[in-house]
Amino acid sequence: CWLSPEQTAGKQKPYMYTQGQAVLNRSFFPCFDTPSAKFTYSATVKVPEGFTAVMSATSWEKQKDNTFVFKMSQPIPSYLIALVVGDIVSAEVGPRSRVWAEPCLIEAAKKEYDGVIEEFLAVGEKLFGPYVWGRYDILFMPPSFPFGGMENPCLTFVTPCLLAGDRSLVDVIIHEISHSWFGNLVTNATWGEFWLNEGFTMYAQRRISTEVYGLPYTCLEAATGRALLRQHMDATGEDHPLNKLRVVIEPGLWGVNPDDTYNETPYEKGYCFVSYLAHLVGNQSKFDGFLQAYVNRFKFQSITADDTLQFFLEYFPELKEKGVDSIPGFEFDRWLNTPGWPPYLPDLSPGQQLMRPAEELAELWAADGLNMEAIEAVDISGWRTYQLVYFLDQVLQKSPLPEGNVKRLSKMYPKISKAQNAELRLRWCQIVLKNNLEAEYSKVKDFLHSQGKQKYTLPLYRAMWGGSEATRALAMETFSATAPQLHVNVQNYVKKILGLGGAE
């Protein structure tokens, strides 16, 4: 991806980055572009003066003539080779971690992540075994980067949307850190079994999060994920073939791009299947022991779901004897090959203690006559991101609210209506649009000018286009101003929403 200066944060110099997942690195260097093959690599990269090159490598050094030499000493699949060239600098944030960013973002990045990463890494090591990649650096990408994060080994690429200014989104990085064991170390052999990467990573992420933040908070975060799975399955239809864990990627006339199979199912349904395996074991520390053994057994290999499940049954011979792989309704085969809602859902009830207050507060705000005494009795100053997100999701579901309520809500909670946290900004903008709060349309515009992440950009354009004449005009005006700073795929998706003839 070649970015013009206006697509960067500094707006001064061009920028180049690669995105290999799923099958895109074949256009960057000759390779067997399949996750079933792993290899080490070295690279020599010469860049112009005033630019720095970094790669997903275990070692690198700068030589004369602005030439950088990289070596990755651990075998990885082709999709994890990544290169960035830009005006970037770094700052140490831990004993084996630094942040990389454009000079205008480096202070914010250091402040947000100083001391944070090591804590997450240490908990990951305690749960899943040694961290084998040496360094864990984070590179904050330009605002036009369309994804949340990409777990390139030694150097995770992330959206600058994580720089909320108050550390309220630092836990998003736990997902990318968890890939260090599940995905990068033990890898799905084919993209048809992507759930092996993502389902195990979601499970690992939530294990780390439980250790760091406690079970109620993790259950609340998982409930947010379950709601996204519900939305996805409602939109596509439960029996859609993509809603299987084992997706058949059929080559048609021109083959199939595995990216087109990307959705919530491998993440959240995959998480439910791993949770089901843990439920069969019935003891968290025994299942943690299994995960360590699994990583150790298959590290640096690419495997199939059959390998995983066979190892599970061998590790727990008493479960194999009981025939847990063929319990009616929960057969392993059904999990893998039948589309639809997961047959087993982990118990998220510990999250209720955080959900209930959010639900009750949303009810109060949706009432015809506002009971300000009851509203003021609820103190949200201690609520963490996902509790606030859950509250705003409830408000959005009840919108449009009675006349004047959203205006008062905005005044009452500047922590929400003036937030720099992208998850809160997205939902606040959705509420503003759904309630036609014209006084705050500028916040929608500002948010879309500040970043180009697909997950935030598309829902806002859908909301504007599905709204009033005024919001449609806002959509057109914002898109014509921001199109040059968006990734080409995101530009095309927005064009499609606005009926401007973009591609799917």
Side-chain angles (χ1 to χ4, degrees):
C1 297
W2 304 89
L3 306 186
S4 60
E6 58 261 35
Q7 289 173 303
T8 67
K11 311 254 187 269
Q12 300 302 308
K13 292 182 178 175
Y15 195 101
M16 192 279 302
Y17 70 90
T18 67
Q19 168 58 32
Q21 194 173 7
V23 290
L24 302 171
N25 269 346
R26 58 188 68 184
S27 62
F28 164 29
F29 59 94
C31 59
F32 294 109
D33 202 4
T34 159
S36 62
K38 290 190 171 183
F39 43 81
T40 58
Y41 79 87
S42 59
T44 306
V45 184
K46 187 174 192 304
V47 300
E49 275 307 316
F51 289 88
T52 298
V54 289
M55 290 190 80
S56 54
T58 38
S59 72
W60 66 283
E61 57 168 315
K62 186 178 177 183
Q63 299 180 339
K64 57 180 196 309
D65 301 339
N66 225 27
T67 298
F68 297 83
V69 177
F70 302 94
K71 280 195 178 64
M72 170 47 93
S73 54
Q74 316 276 29
I76 57 171
S78 55
Y79 76 90
L80 290 176
I81 293 184
L83 166 69
V84 161
V85 179
D87 178 14
I88 51 173
V89 291
S90 69
E92 298 290 331
V93 293
R96 45 184 163 171
S97 304
R98 56 174 88 89
V99 287
W100 291 88
E102 294 179 60
C104 61
L105 287 179
I106 195 70
E107 271 315 304
K110 181 172 167 46
K111 208 172 112 204
E112 199 88 358
Y113 279 88
D114 208 2
V116 169
I117 296 168
E118 189 56 35
E119 181 188 7
F120 298 152
L121 280 176
V123 175
E125 289 193 297
K126 191 182 88 185
L127 290 170
F128 314 122
Y131 177 77
V132 303
W133 307 99
R135 296 200 63 83
Y136 187 90
D137 290 0
I138 302 183
L139 174 65
F140 288 89
M141 300 294 277
S144 59
F145 185 60
F147 314 106
M150 179 59 216
E151 66 273 12
N152 303 308
C154 311
L155 186 70
T156 285
F157 293 5
V158 293
T159 170
C161 293
L162 294 189
L163 299 174
D166 58 3
R167 297 198 163 186
S168 56
L169 284 176
V170 293
D171 56 344
V172 173
I173 205 70
I174 299 176
H175 181 86
E176 308 308 333
I177 285 174
S178 300
H179 272 304
S180 307
W181 294 273
F182 304 97
N184 295 6
L185 194 51
V186 180
T187 309
N188 48 229
T190 74
W191 292 118
E193 295 190 330
F194 185 45
W195 78 273
L196 283 176
N197 278 16
E198 294 300 348
F200 275 90
T201 293
M202 292 305 292
Y203 188 86
Q205 166 200 322
R206 288 170 182 157
R207 277 297 292 121
I208 293 176
S209 166
T210 300
E211 296 288 308
V212 178
Y213 300 116
L215 189 58
Y217 185 70
T218 303
C219 287
L220 179 61
E221 185 274 325
T224 311
R226 188 179 295 177
L228 289 172
L229 180 65
R230 185 71 270 169
Q231 279 170 20
H232 159 70
M233 288 209 177
D234 289 345
T236 54
E238 278 199 20
D239 50 5
H240 194 287
L242 287 184
N243 292 332
K244 296 192 285 200
L245 289 181
R246 185 181 274 153
V247 179
V248 182
I249 301 182
E250 290 281 14
L253 185 58
W254 301 107
V256 162
N257 181 351
D259 281 351
D260 295 341
T261 68
Y262 173 88
N263 60 53
E264 300 294 339
T265 297
Y267 290 79
E268 294 295 345
K269 189 175 179 177
Y271 164 72
C272 289
F273 190 18
V274 181
S275 301
Y276 175 64
L277 298 177
H279 162 75
L280 289 174
V281 174
N283 174 311
Q284 186 66 61
S285 63
K286 274 189 182 168
F287 191 70
D288 290 347
F290 159 73
L291 290 176
Q292 272 204 34
Y294 169 73
V295 169
N296 194 41
R297 166 72 178 79
F298 294 114
K299 60 179 186 253
F300 303 117
Q301 296 178 50
S302 301
I303 64 170
T304 65
D306 292 339
D307 297 324
T308 300
L309 296 170
Q310 196 181 331
F311 182 73
F312 174 78
L313 293 171
E314 282 165 13
Y315 188 86
F316 295 110
E318 68 283 9
L319 293 180
K320 185 178 186 173
E321 217 166 287
K322 274 168 56 182
V324 294
D325 54 338
S326 50
I327 297 169
F330 301 95
E331 301 90 346
F332 288 1
D333 187 73
R334 173 182 168 164
W335 273 103
L336 294 175
N337 297 311
T338 307
W341 196 243
Y344 169 88
L345 296 170
D347 172 23
L348 303 181
S349 60
Q352 281 299 330
Q353 57 175 283
L354 298 173
M355 290 181 215
R356 210 169 289 119
E359 285 162 6
E360 287 164 3
L361 187 59
E363 284 288 340
L364 289 170
W365 279 106
D368 270 333
L370 288 179
N371 179 349
M372 289 315 290
E373 196 182 335
I375 287 172
E376 282 161 11
V378 183
D379 176 16
I380 68 162
S381 62
W383 290 13
R384 294 176 55 86
T385 299
Y386 281 104
Q387 196 171 10
L388 292 167
V389 160
Y390 189 77
F391 166 65
L392 293 177
D393 282 343
Q394 301 292 312
V395 170
L396 184 61
Q397 278 172 19
K398 298 175 195 304
S399 291
L401 302 188
E403 190 68 36
N405 286 18
V406 175
K407 199 171 165 186
R408 288 191 74 172
L409 194 152
S410 173
K411 237 203 190 100
M412 173 117 182
Y413 305 132
K415 173 181 180 168
I416 290 172
S417 58
K418 294 191 163 76
Q420 284 308 298
N421 176 319
E423 292 289 328
L424 300 180
R425 286 177 84 178
L426 166 67
R427 286 160 177 90
W428 184 247
C429 289
Q430 288 173 308
I431 288 167
V432 162
L433 292 167
K434 193 96 183 267
N435 289 277
N436 294 317
L437 189 62
E438 295 196 21
E440 298 201 16
Y441 282 177
S442 60
K443 288 185 178 164
V444 180
K445 206 157 80 175
D446 292 346
F447 186 40
L448 288 169
H449 274 264
S450 74
Q451 56 77 42
K453 186 178 165 183
Q454 189 168 310
K455 179 185 159 188
Y456 302 141
T457 302
L458 302 187
L460 289 179
Y461 277 105
R462 284 192 198 103
M464 287 188 281
W465 202 244
S468 61
E469 283 298 305
T471 61
R472 285 187 154 212
L474 180 70
M476 284 299 197
E477 176 203 335
T478 308
F479 183 59
S480 66
T482 58
Q485 70 191 39
L486 293 174
H487 186 279
V488 63
N489 292 358
V490 180
Q491 280 181 30
N492 284 333
Y493 286 132
V494 175
K495 281 181 185 165
K496 194 163 190 250
I497 292 166
L498 304 183
L500 299 172
E504 174 51 85

